[in-house]
Amino acid sequence: MHIGVIDPICPQPYEFDTSAETGLGGTEATALRVFGQLASSFEITFFQNNRTEQSFNSGIHSRPLSELKDHAPLDRLITIGSWEFSLQARQLFPNVPIVLWLHNYANRHNRSMGNALREANIKLVCVSKTHMNATKRLLETRSSCLPRLSYIYNAIDDALLPNNTPRCKNRLLFASSPNKGLLQVLEKFDAISPMLPELQLEVANPGYLQFEPNELPPNVIFLGSLSQPKLIEKMRTSLCLFCPQTTFAETFGLVIAEANAVGTPVICQASFGANDEIVSSVNQAIDTANLETLVERIQQLQKSKCMTSARPEFRLENVARHWDALLLDG
């Protein structure tokens, strides 16, 4: 079976070599991980925005997006992120089963997509139960009927496991794009620093959005864009992944799942986005607006040898099994 995967919105082309050398966003990293795994069972051709050359890497054929219209036959199509492009794909491939793989929360400008996807017979796959329920609630405000709606979790590498790497009790790590609440995280860190003066906050940036603050709180270190192996090593050596923000709700939160998988706890906001669904234990999602609670949690982690583990449903083997079933179902 020949599967066409379309990323019509990626800012730059990407493949496995990209992931090894530079930082990647969660969507791109997950796409490579999932379809690399499925390449052992399916023929995968990946059509990407801004790609100018063909390549073949780890079982995946990568092609410029412009080649999609001339590429046949394809047995299934998966479009990443864009419901409008899914509808264009339906015009090109009227009889091919199509899945829209949505990674972001739909907003009020997307409410009409429910009817459009239903009429075009396009399935909608979200990345968590929280994400699916939020999408369903929004579409119900405008749609008379909904598309077939489900969710499949994003995948973490099966090889991500705790080891004996010592964690620095005074090192916190923020490892997301700056638009995902970084300003608020810096404010929180600055507010608690007088109570925990030895703390350091290291900030890793996937690199697709630049951030140049006018002034930084003391003890904040910008790491720039890290390759996946270097980011995982930073997670292992940090006291925790530090995400006390309420400005960007995650649909999944890949860095949260990855940090937990290598044994590193997370501090994130409770009842916000998919945080409660993704953390592997409930005490990692707390009321981060309460500075006393935030400080107490950091002190608890400093005194303990708290180790986390991965949720098994996020493991690549299990996630790939769900995609396999979805694609065979048509």
Side-chain angles (χ1 to χ4, degrees):
M1 187 181 291
H2 193 171
I3 310 298
V5 183
I6 310 166
D7 190 337
I9 55 178
C10 58
Q12 59 189 20
Y14 55 96
E15 49 194 298
F16 284 95
D17 290 345
T18 314
S19 179
E21 295 171 3
T22 63
L24 273 182
T27 299
E28 293 88 349
T30 297
L32 290 177
R33 199 169 289 136
V34 168
F35 298 118
Q37 181 83 356
L38 292 177
S40 61
S41 303
F42 303 97
E43 181 180 357
I44 306 288
T45 301
F46 206 158
F47 301 92
Q48 296 178 348
N49 185 45
N50 291 323
R51 176 175 285 280
T52 58
E53 298 179 348
Q54 298 183 3
S55 72
F56 180 77
N57 191 317
S58 300
I60 297 177
H61 300 269
S62 295
R63 301 285 186 269
L65 184 60
S66 59
E67 294 185 8
L68 174 65
K69 64 181 183 297
D70 300 319
H71 204 290
L74 292 169
D75 300 301
R76 304 283 188 272
L77 277 172
I78 301 169
T79 303
I80 300 174
S82 172
W83 66 279
E84 295 93 344
F85 200 92
S86 295
L87 298 178
Q88 295 178 39
R90 171 56 74 215
Q91 297 300 313
L92 294 173
F93 299 90
N95 299 314
V96 174
I98 297 178
V99 172
L100 169 60
W101 189 15
L102 194 64
H103 285 256
N104 296 323
Y105 286 108
N107 57 39
R108 60 187 179 86
H109 301 294
N110 307 132
R111 286 179 293 189
S112 61
M113 80 174 181
N115 284 332
L117 294 178
R118 179 72 180 188
E119 291 172 3
N121 192 26
I122 295 172
K123 293 181 180 179
L124 178 56
V125 174
C126 298
V127 296
S128 66
K129 187 175 182 179
T130 300
H131 183 207
M132 181 187 71
N133 289 339
T135 302
K136 182 179 179 181
R137 287 193 298 270
L138 179 82
L139 296 184
E140 285 176 336
T141 65
R142 183 66 64 88
S143 302
S144 57
C145 57
L146 297 180
R148 287 174 289 175
L149 193 61
S150 62
Y151 70 92
I152 300 175
Y153 286 123
N154 282 343
I156 60 173
D157 197 311
D158 290 333
L160 291 184
L161 298 167
N163 61 22
N164 295 322
T165 302
R167 296 204 309 271
C168 177
K169 70 175 185 179
N170 289 315
R171 181 186 297 153
L172 311 180
L173 176 67
F174 178 86
S176 297
S177 180
N179 65 304
K180 296 187 176 184
L182 177 54
L183 284 176
Q184 190 177 21
V185 169
L186 293 174
E187 291 172 0
K188 293 281 181 64
F189 179 76
D190 193 32
I192 66 174
S193 289
M195 293 170 272
L196 298 165
E198 295 185 1
L199 278 185
Q200 286 187 337
L201 173 63
E202 294 189 333
V203 177
N205 181 354
Y208 48 84
L209 286 178
Q210 297 303 311
F211 181 76
E212 298 180 1
N214 295 325
E215 186 176 354
L216 285 175
N219 294 329
V220 174
I221 301 168
F222 272 70
L223 303 173
S225 178
L226 300 180
S227 67
Q228 180 70 0
K230 289 183 179 178
L231 176 59
I232 294 301
E233 187 59 28
K234 278 293 180 184
M235 288 180 177
R236 291 188 188 279
T237 59
S238 298
L239 176 72
C240 68
L241 190 72
F242 189 65
C243 313
Q245 60 87 21
T246 56
T247 60
F248 186 96
E250 292 280 10
T251 55
F252 181 82
L254 185 63
V255 292
I256 291 175
E258 289 178 333
N260 277 181
V262 298
T264 300
V266 174
I267 292 178
C268 62
Q269 177 61 40
S271 304
F272 184 64
N275 288 350
D276 295 290
E277 186 178 356
I278 303 307
V279 292
S280 60
S281 59
V282 294
N283 60 353
Q284 298 181 80
I286 63 174
D287 178 13
T288 62
N290 187 318
L291 294 183
E292 290 184 2
T293 300
L294 195 55
V295 170
E296 287 175 3
R297 181 58 182 153
I298 292 172
Q299 290 174 328
Q300 289 171 359
L301 293 176
Q302 289 175 324
K303 294 175 183 177
S304 71
K305 293 185 178 180
C306 175
M307 292 285 284
T308 60
S309 59
R311 296 267 301 275
E313 56 266 48
F314 305 156
R315 289 294 186 190
L316 178 57
E317 180 182 5
N318 293 326
V319 171
R321 188 178 301 117
H322 287 289
W323 274 105
D324 187 275
L326 179 73
L327 292 170
L328 292 176
D329 182 53

